[in-house]
Structures are given as C-alpha cells and as structure tokens.
Amino acid sequence: MPALPTETDVLVIGAGPAGAAAAAWASRGGLDVVLADAQVFPRDKTCGDGLTPRAIHELTSLGLGEWLQGQPRNLGLRAAGFGQTLMLPWPGGSLPNYGSAVPRTELDARIREVALSAGAIPLDGHRAVDVEFDRGRVAAVTFTCVVEGKKVNRVVRCKRLVVADGAKSQLGRRLGREWHKDTAYGVAGRAYIRSGRSDDKWISSHLELRGEHNEVLSGYGWIFPLGDGEVNIGVGTLATTKRPADVNLRALTELYTDQQRAQWALDGELQLFSSALLPMGGAVSNIAGSNWMLIGDAAGCVNPLNGEGIDYGLETGNLAAHILIDTKDSSAVDYSLVWPGELSIRYGTAFSIARRLAGLLTVPGFIKTMGPVGMRSAALMTIALRVMGNLVTEEDRDATARVWRTAGRASMKLDDRPPFS
Ligand SMILES: Cc1cc2nc3c(=O)[nH]c(=O)nc-3n(C[C@H](O)[C@H](O)[C@H](O)COP(=O)(O)OP(=O)(O)OC[C@H]3O[C@@H](n4cnc5c(N)ncnc54)[C@H](O)[C@@H]3O)c2cc1C
C-alpha cells in the first residue's frame, strides 16, 4: 500500500466514471494524481446501469475493450407504449453499434482500476468537506475519514483540483456551484430483480408509464438485462421547480414491476431499491475556478431526454484531463475562462434543445397526447433514439444531425441562461 498522500499536482474528488476517467487520462499523461472517494470500492451507485454506444466508445479508449467482450451486449432499444412496440437498433456510424449494461458496483471498480494502473494514488473512505484557498486558488482540500473508529480530518494539498463528486456535489457547492432547478431535472429510482429474460439482447423502455389509477404519467419505465440472471428495473420522470414530481418512486417501481412481471418472467422481490435526483443539460453555474473544474454529474452533464450520464462523465473526465495535461506548465491559466466554454462548445446546443423538449414533457397531458403520435412512426422514433440518446456525433453531416444542430443553436439564442452559465 502506498503511504497516504499529503500533496499532489492533480487532486480528483470522486471516483465514479467521471473522476476515474479524469484520473486515468491525467496519469497516462504523466501527471501526479490522487483519486479520492468518500466510499470504499467496490461500491454501489443508484443507476440504470445502461451503457450507450458512446459510453462503450469511451470505455474502449480507456483500454476496457477486452473486458467489455465479456459483458452483455445489446443491439438497441425496444420502445413500447400506446399499443406499439418498436425495435430501434443503435444507429452505429462513427460510434459502436452496440450497448451494454453492467452493475455500477462492477463497472466503477473497473474504471477506477484503470486509473490506479496508470499511476493514480487512491484515497478511499475520505470525504472531502472543505477547501483552503490561497490568493483565489484552491490550495488544499480537507477530508474526514474514520481511523480506528474515530473520525479524523486530513488535508491534501494540490496544484489543481477536479471535482467529480456526483449529482449533489457537496464540494462543488462549497466552491460556489449552483444547480438551477427551474430547468428540467430527473427524478428516478431503480432496483434489481431476477428475470427469465436476463439474456435479452435489447434494452427496453416503456414510454407509456401508468400509475395506480391507470393514468398516463409523464415519465418512463426501463428494463435493462444484465445477462447474469437479473435485470435492472426502474422508473424516471422529469420535474422543474414549477412542476415538481409528485411521485412515490418506490411504489411506482413496484407497480411497474408488477405490470411487467409476466412478460419479463420476473421472479421474487425487488432488491436494492434506491432513488436520486439528477441535474441535467448543464443547468449548473460556477463549474470552474482559476485552478479547479467540475465534471460529470457535478457539472450537470446528464442527457435531459433519457437521464444517461455515464458517457458524459467519461467524456468530461477525458476532456478535463487533456486540458490539465496541455496546461501543466502554464501557471497563469484560469480554468474558469476555459472550462465552461469547452463544455458549451461540446454539449451546449444539444443540451439547450434537449432540455427545452424535456421541459415540454413535464407539461401535464403532453405525453398522453404526443406519445401515440410518435409511437406510430418507426422512422420518427429511430430519429428520436438517435437524438435523445446523444448519438449524433460532431463528425455526422446527415440531415438529422444538421437539423438537430441548427435547432440547438436557435434554442441557445432563446435561452435566458444557456447551459453551463
Ligand atoms: C436512477 C438512475 C438511473 C440512471 N441510469 C443511467 C443509465 O442507465 N445510464 C447512464 O449512462 N446513466 C444513468 N444515470 C446517471 C448516472 O448514474 C450518472 O450520470 C453517473 O453516475 C455520473 O457519474 P459521475 O462520476 O459524475 O458521478 P457518480 O457516479 O455519482 O460518482 C461520484 C463519486 O463521488 C463520490 N463522492 C461524493 N461526494 C464526495 C465527497 N464529498 N468526497 C469524496 N467523494 C465523494 C461518491 O462516493 C461517488 O463515488 C442514472 C441515474 C439515476 C439516479
């Protein structure tokens, strides 16, 4: 075991996909990195466990391609609702044409291992609680941890700080991060259950989610086969300050499970139910300072239309690490002038239009009216899967990609508060 670190160049707070990816890339780039997490790995994280082709692409770049070969592989989305079932294959193109689903207990431990193999020093069981500033720059982070049954404080000094502490981002808040809940955010719960169809080759979403009085709810249910005898089952909905989600997620997940029990050969009780709120579409301000950056969920990098954020976590970790590598010798660089702009270039237009659409989905009756219209057209839903699934890449030049980008640019012009500002 290496000695506990007391100082480093790059200190990464949070070893989920975002922090572990940042630590892996920064270590590979020759930087000294400490990767701290409040928990001890392997640890669970509330999630649907779905890996989109974009996440597969990033995991492969990290060197996890061989490991992915041993994981379940899905071919696309089975979208069901309003009397229709559509099989929508992943579009492929410049991204892989398959996805996967791996419990976070395993996935996150794997990505963290990549970071440690690249040289990052682990600091598990250490919760970051405060920062020390020196002339406007973060100079150190204070952690609490338990040593021989007693809670103690430890300080790690750093030149640069990456905050990847997830949706609530306690440390981000200490640095001035603000999450704007007037923009649509996610409210979701998940559990595990045994299923006779755990090897199904399609992930499933039920866009017609019904409550106990058979009313159509504005949300969706999912079943993601894990290939190990179980599926991840969950429900998610969108909310805003104006239209909070008045929903008991546990009861709704149980109801949805009962609705799907026969079709999915579900067996037994739900296990490990948990739920969380999700910042989305970059609806977060103050995501960087002179020598620190927020990444992943902490920076609100979650798709407003389907709640996936693992791929954004991996991508923002990668991007932040390369900025750290490129600027390692320039002490004058101010990340608050760099990072929001980088994220805006990469995700601004897509997040702006997606969160505008997500806001519409919170309008009562919208899904009930528009759901049947959308589900009648496989062509429309194929396009929806691509744009909603963050599967339009910068290289794509086809009509859908062009229209999506143009709509995004127009949407950004209308935004009172564009993403990341
Ligand atoms: C119900 C639900 C279903 C979802 N389903 C999907 C899905 O199917 N596919 C998908 O792509 N995304 C999904 N998401 C979103 C996805 O879980 C997140 O976007 C993703 O985990 C973000 O990764 P991250 O590394 O930014 O944060 P996290 O994965 O949350 O990691 C943050 C880490 O920081 C640590 N930490 C927190 N505070 C501190 C502190 N003060 N000090 C030290 N460490 C700290 C935590 O212990 C944790 O390990 C879902 C989310 C929810 C809630």
Side-chain angles (χ1 to χ4, degrees), residues 13-19 36-39 41 43 45-50 104 108 126-128 164-166 170 188-190 222 224 276 278 295-297 302 307-311:
I13 307 296
D37 201 287
Q39 299 199 44
F41 283 70
R43 61 97 180 92
K45 149 80 179 83
T46 306
C47 190
D49 302 333
R104 294 289 298 272
D108 290 19
H126 280 64
R127 177 169 295 281
D165 56 353
Q170 189 186 2
R190 70 93 227 251
W222 70 78
F224 294 169
L278 268 178
I295 62 174
D297 277 11
V302 174
E308 40 112 12
I310 297 173
D311 51 359

Side-chain angles (χ1 to χ4, degrees), residues 246-287:
D246 180 21
V247 56
N248 177 336
L249 287 169
R250 178 163 200 134
L252 189 57
T253 308
E254 278 168 2
L255 181 64
Y256 175 60
T257 302
D258 286 341
Q259 289 160 354
Q260 301 303 322
R261 198 169 273 280
Q263 205 174 19
W264 276 86
L266 302 178
D267 177 25
E269 299 296 312
L270 292 179
Q271 305 294 327
L272 297 175
F273 174 84
S274 59
S275 63
L277 303 186
L278 268 178
M280 293 173 151
V284 171
S285 307
N286 301 326
I287 56 163

Side-chain angles (χ1 to χ4, degrees), residues 207 276 294:
L207 310 178
L294 262 54

Side-chain angles (χ1 to χ4, degrees), residues 55-404:
I56 299 286
H57 172 75
E58 280 297 311
L59 290 169
T60 307
S61 311
L62 276 167
L64 286 171
E66 208 179 304
W67 170 76
L68 278 168
Q69 298 292 324
Q71 303 307 316
R73 197 175 264 227
N74 56 60
L75 307 173
L77 176 71
R78 177 191 294 106
F82 307 102
Q84 310 282 342
T85 299
L86 302 173
M87 307 301 276
L88 308 169
W90 296 117
S94 52
L95 290 170
N97 61 358
Y98 69 96
S100 186
V102 180
R104 294 289 298 272
T105 313
E106 178 170 1
L107 176 76
D108 290 19
R110 282 283 161 173
I111 308 170
R112 179 176 162 279
E113 272 307 315
V114 172
L116 303 194
S117 308
I121 310 266
L123 194 61
D124 279 2
H126 280 64
R127 177 169 295 281
V129 288
D130 206 357
V131 283
E132 253 174 53
F133 290 95
D134 181 12
R135 282 162 287 170
R137 294 170 71 83
V138 171
V141 172
T142 305
F143 295 90
T144 58
C145 61
V146 176
V147 179
E148 290 167 3
K150 277 201 209 127
K151 204 168 172 186
V152 296
N153 282 358
R154 282 216 173 104
V155 173
V156 177
R157 308 195 67 74
C158 63
K159 292 195 183 119
R160 287 141 350 137
L161 176 68
V162 175
V163 180
D165 56 353
K168 288 190 191 154
S169 191
Q170 189 186 2
L171 199 68
R173 281 212 304 271
R174 171 70 185 85
L175 289 162
R177 176 230 203 214
E178 202 183 340
W179 171 3
H180 303 284
K181 289 189 178 147
D182 52 340
T183 300
Y185 60 90
V187 181
R190 70 93 227 251
Y192 295 97
I193 190 165
R194 285 196 305 280
S195 165
R197 285 176 59 190
S198 172
D199 288 325
D200 202 284
K201 292 289 172 235
W202 296 78
I203 57 169
S204 279
S205 280
H206 291 88
L207 310 178
E208 182 184 354
L209 184 64
R210 296 223 170 229
E212 55 178 331
H213 306 297
N214 208 30
E215 73 281 19
V216 177
L217 301 172
S218 79
Y220 73 97
W222 70 78
I223 298 183
F224 294 169
L226 296 169
D228 61 355
E230 291 197 333
V231 293
N232 181 312
I233 187 163
V235 295
T237 185
L238 291 158
T240 62
T241 316
K242 217 160 99 188
R243 299 194 195 94
D246 180 21
V247 56
N248 177 336
L249 287 169
R250 178 163 200 134
L252 189 57
T253 308
E254 278 168 2
L255 181 64
Y256 175 60
T257 302
D258 286 341
Q259 289 160 354
Q260 301 303 322
R261 198 169 273 280
Q263 205 174 19
W264 276 86
L266 302 178
D267 177 25
E269 299 296 312
L270 292 179
Q271 305 294 327
L272 297 175
F273 174 84
S274 59
S275 63
L277 303 186
L278 268 178
M280 293 173 151
V284 171
S285 307
N286 301 326
I287 56 163
S290 50
N291 67 336
W292 55 268
M293 294 180 259
L294 262 54
I295 62 174
D297 277 11
C301 289
V302 174
N303 187 333
L305 291 171
N306 63 9
E308 40 112 12
I310 297 173
D311 51 359
Y312 294 96
L314 295 168
E315 286 178 0
T316 53
N318 185 341
L319 196 60
H322 283 94
I323 291 175
L324 292 170
I325 295 163
D326 292 346
T327 56
K328 77 171 175 202
D329 297 321
S330 41
S331 57
V333 70
D334 180 345
Y335 296 132
S336 71
L337 303 177
V338 177
W339 188 232
E342 279 291 335
L343 290 186
S344 183
I345 290 168
R346 193 168 269 240
Y347 303 123
T349 55
F351 274 174
S352 174
I353 181 73
R355 67 194 207 180
R356 203 170 284 280
L357 295 174
L360 272 181
L361 295 176
T362 67
V363 174
F366 184 86
I367 291 202
K368 194 173 169 196
T369 313
M370 296 311 291
V373 178
M375 286 299 290
R376 249 176 254 138
S377 165
L380 187 64
M381 289 305 288
T382 301
I383 293 173
L385 171 70
R386 186 163 161 224
V387 298
M388 287 172 69
N390 182 26
L391 298 172
V392 175
T393 65
E394 281 163 35
E395 298 84 58
D396 292 346
R397 294 282 172 268
D398 59 288
T400 302
R402 287 202 308 270
V403 170
W404 184 241

